[in-house]
Amino acid sequence: MARTAASTPSGPRGHWFLFAVGMLLVAAALTLDGYVTDVVGETRPAPPAGVPSAESAEIRRGGPVVNITGGRPTSVRPPGRTVALTFDDGPDPAWTPQVLDELARHGAKATFFVVGSKVARHPELARRIVAEGHELGNHTFSHADLTQVPGWRLRLESSLTQRALAGATGLHTTLARPPYSGPTRAITAPQWAGMKELAAEGHLIVLTDLDAEDGSDLDLPAKGAGAVVTMRGTRLAVDLVLEDLEGRGYRAVTVTEAIGMPSAHRRAGGVDRFLGSALNLAQRASETFVDVLRWAMFTAGALTLGRFGFFIVLAAVHAHRTRGGTRPKGPGRGWSGPPPVTVIVPAYNEAAGIQATIRSLVATSYPGDVEILVVDDGSTDGTADLAAGFPGVRVIRRPNGGKSAALNTGIAHASHELLVLLDGDTVFERATIGRLVRRLADPAVGAVSGNTKVGNRRGAIGRWQHIEYVIGFNLDRRAFELLDCMATVPGAVGAFRRSALEALGGVSADTLAEDTDLTMALCRAGWRVVYEENAVAWTEAPASLGQLWKQRYRWCYGTLQAMWKHRHAVVERNPFGRRCLGYLSLFHVLLPLLAPVVDLMAVYSIAVDDPLPVVAAWAGFVLVQMAIGWYALLLDGERASALWILPLQQFVYRQLMYLVVIQSLVTALLGVRLRWHGVRREGTFNGQGGTPVLAAAQTGRRSATTGR
């Protein structure tokens, strides 16, 4: 394969550090969101258990406001005709404003035991509570059951809530209520231990006497005794309770006012206010980010499945037309006679495979005149001498200048209008040239893409590439022909009109994906570019992950260059640009960029939540891929047994491909000029004379024409 030998930067390196930092930030956002939603460190209320401790016995007979900060626990109850109204679990954008309106209408005050994560989410409601003279209490950050968490988590729940309050209101509070707590008489030993931990953080513990669900069952103590009432109802319930209290001569006040203490609010320091604001901002950002990710994942999944379905339908239509007799069949059909063809092979250090390539060309069954040109692009391994050993093959030697220059040299020396281009690591089947040429009988067709197949598919990497070529490349090309938006005629096998190439000024050296650049230019010039499934070429794919990375990095970077070069096609009258560039941008750039986050979220969900939904979704997606792969292999005349390795592709190969996109995009954005990454050849088709290896590769393929 021709390339330039010039040494230029291979790409940026430091961005991988930024990528790692980005993934850590994503992981932090997921963890914070999971903690807020009680997925990370999930707790569930446990049924009351254990024997009450002796030190809580007196408290269990006392009032609902408990002080455990001193040497001896004490408790107190509001005085007669006094009710401390309390509300838990807010602030909530639906019911908190309604409750505040109702309290204001009745001139009543209340204490709101707020969840820190909800304060961070709705700081304006916390500020309104304070501004209207009500009181705030600590109800933990994630509404965790304090009997189910270790001491460090309990302290974290308390301190995070204080930080959230400081960031939202500039205040701390001395009041706290453990989630899932009840009246003092129901205190269990685990609850008492949690209350002591909260008290050690400087909190006065507030339990409850009554729980008013809907306002109609308020059973106040006899003889007008005071009480702490927990409200959980709607605005109507609050109205009913307050009217009932007013009718009985009760006053509704905050907890501290009810027991004759100073306000529970304490001014937070500047550092706490800053850290609290940062915490609240980080939480809201993480929630927004995770919501965006969920929608992006849903959209990506829907688009991917939609693409699969749409392209399968188009591929079926293409196959029906191909095999339904609507196209010319046989070499040269549609011509007055088999037209002469020039075959151009650009070669740079292709000694490992050039002989097999030339043998396959010499053995062609095409009945017309075939001129074979090998353009040696300054090889240093004897490629030119090996090629010159074949009678009838013309070798053109030139200094190294890159593949585009080698192709242009071949075009300039070609004797015929019809050109077939292939790489020096590719082997044609005997009928390939004729099948390419017959599509050029249509004068509107400027280029024909053949069917590239992986010849070295014995190992896992080769098998994965084989599946990718059949499903990801050849299946797409069937649809692209029908949509008139062919993105690439591969360098491994393609046929062109010389006049069309000369009108474009030859093959451009502007990008590293000269085949994609050339194809886009042809389409923009008004030529049709079609796909011939039966024009089969066998290529040697990279045999290691390192070699695969080099190849795909060059492909992806070159494709990005070509997309940018032809970006104005999206506003042209020809729909090619909108279809082709839109498709590439969406499915070859955007979705791979989302893939790392999808994987991270999948691992995160498996680690902290029920793994069954994630595993089921993954299995369902793989099954869809298997079904599509089976159909693609069927259309291509390949055996479906190749699909056994497809599920494993999700764990190595897929990650490599999206990292290639990330690397390529960063390289392009930073303006680094990437050099040509040559791939080491193993001589797949030269083993044992060449023919046995090719025959072994072909045994895995049935006839694409007959389906047998």
Side-chain angles (χ1 to χ4, degrees), residues 428-493:
F428 273 11
E429 292 188 354
R430 296 184 72 245
T432 295
I433 294 177
R435 288 168 175 167
L436 289 170
V437 168
R438 70 182 181 184
R439 298 301 303 278
L440 289 170
D442 182 349
V445 174
V448 183
S449 168
N451 185 339
T452 310
K453 291 186 175 295
V454 174
N456 52 329
R457 55 177 77 168
R458 294 185 183 277
I461 297 175
R463 289 187 172 95
W464 283 332
Q465 291 178 88
H466 163 49
I467 293 173
E468 181 186 28
Y469 271 62
V470 174
I471 302 175
F473 299 159
N474 294 332
L475 188 68
D476 285 0
R477 288 192 178 104
R478 297 173 188 272
F480 289 156
E481 177 183 333
L482 297 180
L483 296 173
D484 284 328
C485 63
M486 191 74 69
T488 306
V489 173
V493 51

Side-chain angles (χ1 to χ4, degrees), residues 302-316:
L303 285 173
T304 302
L305 293 177
R307 169 187 171 271
F308 282 159
F310 184 57
F311 273 48
I312 282 291
V313 171
L314 292 180

Side-chain angles (χ1 to χ4, degrees), residues 247-299:
R248 301 190 195 186
Y250 280 80
R251 62 192 184 104
V253 296
T254 64
V255 169
T256 55
E257 185 179 354
I259 61 176
M261 286 184 59
S263 170
H265 296 158
R266 300 289 183 269
R267 194 70 185 168
V271 173
D272 279 345
R273 291 197 299 273
F274 173 79
L275 293 177
S277 297
L279 171 65
N280 296 348
L281 179 62
Q283 181 188 313
R284 293 195 298 274
S286 69
E287 290 175 344
T288 301
F289 180 70
V290 172
D291 286 341
V292 169
L293 285 184
R294 290 192 180 105
W295 278 107
M297 289 177 61
F298 174 80
T299 303

